[in-house]
Amino acid sequence: MQEVPVLLEGPAGPLEARYLLHPDAKGVALVCHPNPAQGGSMLNKVVSTLQRTARDADYSTLRFNYRGVGASAGSHCLSLGEVDDAEAALNWLQMQQPGLPVVLLGFSFGGYVAALLAVRLAERHVQVHHLCMVAPAVNRLSGGEEFPASMSLTVIQPEQDEVISPQLVYAWSADLARDHELLKVAECGHFFHGKLVELKELVLPRL
């Protein structure tokens, strides 16, 4: 199984994406990439690791570039516009294999995007099976987000993160009034240099 390039219709124009069809998929997985203003794209190595992990867990996968990144139309919003893009990407993914469980994975700014998408889907009564936030940009979240009770939630945070404050993530986790799992990765920076195998080993059994 290999990813194929696709262009799907987004709210600001076409979105560049890579899609992997698993013929016997147990679900569909959307992967959201880090901050585009800091060079983030769907080709980021953490995003690539999350995509391969979901593939190996028997999910069909889609990773995509937000507006203004790569061949995606439009310009950066760095807010709800990217959440709109993620929602459009997920709608496309669900149309390929309707009725399958949904998993959302996001790295850094993509963790913020995936989190807000999960909240938005809950408001639409669309069930999300699992949300995995890796080194998430929790500073962008209000703290008042209501995640659906039926959704499992995993937060993975490098202990030596030089981009996202680990203490900020730990505090956000402590204030989260629902069951979830916080996994701390020792001797690890934001981009998981030398730790991508460990990241996969943490995510894979939880999908």
Side-chain angles (χ1 to χ4, degrees):
M1 294 179 296
Q2 293 211 353
E3 292 177 293
V4 296
V6 296
L7 275 178
L8 57 96
E9 192 56 40
L15 294 173
E16 180 184 21
R18 291 188 177 185
Y19 171 56
L20 181 138
L21 172 64
H22 194 303
D24 300 312
K26 70 179 184 183
V28 294
L30 183 74
V31 189
C32 301
H33 73 70
N35 193 329
Q38 298 173 340
S41 80
M42 66 176 177
L43 301 180
N44 172 274
K45 65 181 182 179
V46 175
V47 170
S48 299
T49 297
L50 293 173
Q51 182 275 325
R52 289 193 297 269
T53 303
R55 174 202 66 194
D56 292 350
D58 298 329
Y59 285 83
S60 290
T61 68
L62 185 73
R63 50 176 160 162
F64 67 101
N65 280 332
Y66 307 130
R67 59 187 65 193
V69 180
S72 292
S75 56
H76 306 332
C77 177
L78 303 183
S79 184
L80 296 181
E82 281 77 12
V83 183
D84 294 341
D85 295 341
E87 184 173 17
L90 181 62
N91 288 342
W92 184 92
L93 179 58
Q94 289 183 293
M95 284 192 297
Q96 311 311 306
Q97 292 176 297
L100 292 180
V102 172
V103 166
L104 303 176
L105 306 105
F107 168 50
S108 196
F109 174 80
Y112 153 81
V113 171
L116 287 195
L117 179 57
V119 172
R120 186 179 292 185
L121 292 171
E123 293 169 351
R124 287 174 35 199
H125 305 291
V126 175
Q127 186 168 356
V128 175
H129 173 66
H130 191 95
L131 169 63
C132 180
M133 304 166 66
V134 178
V138 296
N139 57 302
R140 294 177 176 270
L141 297 170
S142 69
E145 291 81 15
E146 293 190 14
F147 296 114
S150 60
M151 179 188 77
S152 58
L153 172 60
T154 302
V155 180
I156 301 175
Q157 179 57 43
E159 290 189 340
Q160 296 177 354
D161 197 321
E162 70 282 11
V163 176
I164 302 292
S165 165
Q167 297 306 319
L168 197 62
V169 175
Y170 303 158
W172 180 85
S173 171
D175 289 341
L176 198 58
R178 56 148 294 159
D179 290 339
H180 65 289
E181 193 172 22
L182 172 63
L183 305 173
K184 301 177 182 180
V185 185
E187 299 178 355
C188 181
H190 186 69
F191 295 100
F192 287 81
H193 297 309
K195 295 285 186 175
L196 291 173
V197 172
E198 185 173 343
L199 174 62
K200 182 174 183 178
E201 290 173 346
L202 290 174
V203 176
L204 187 59
R206 292 168 170 85
L207 294 181

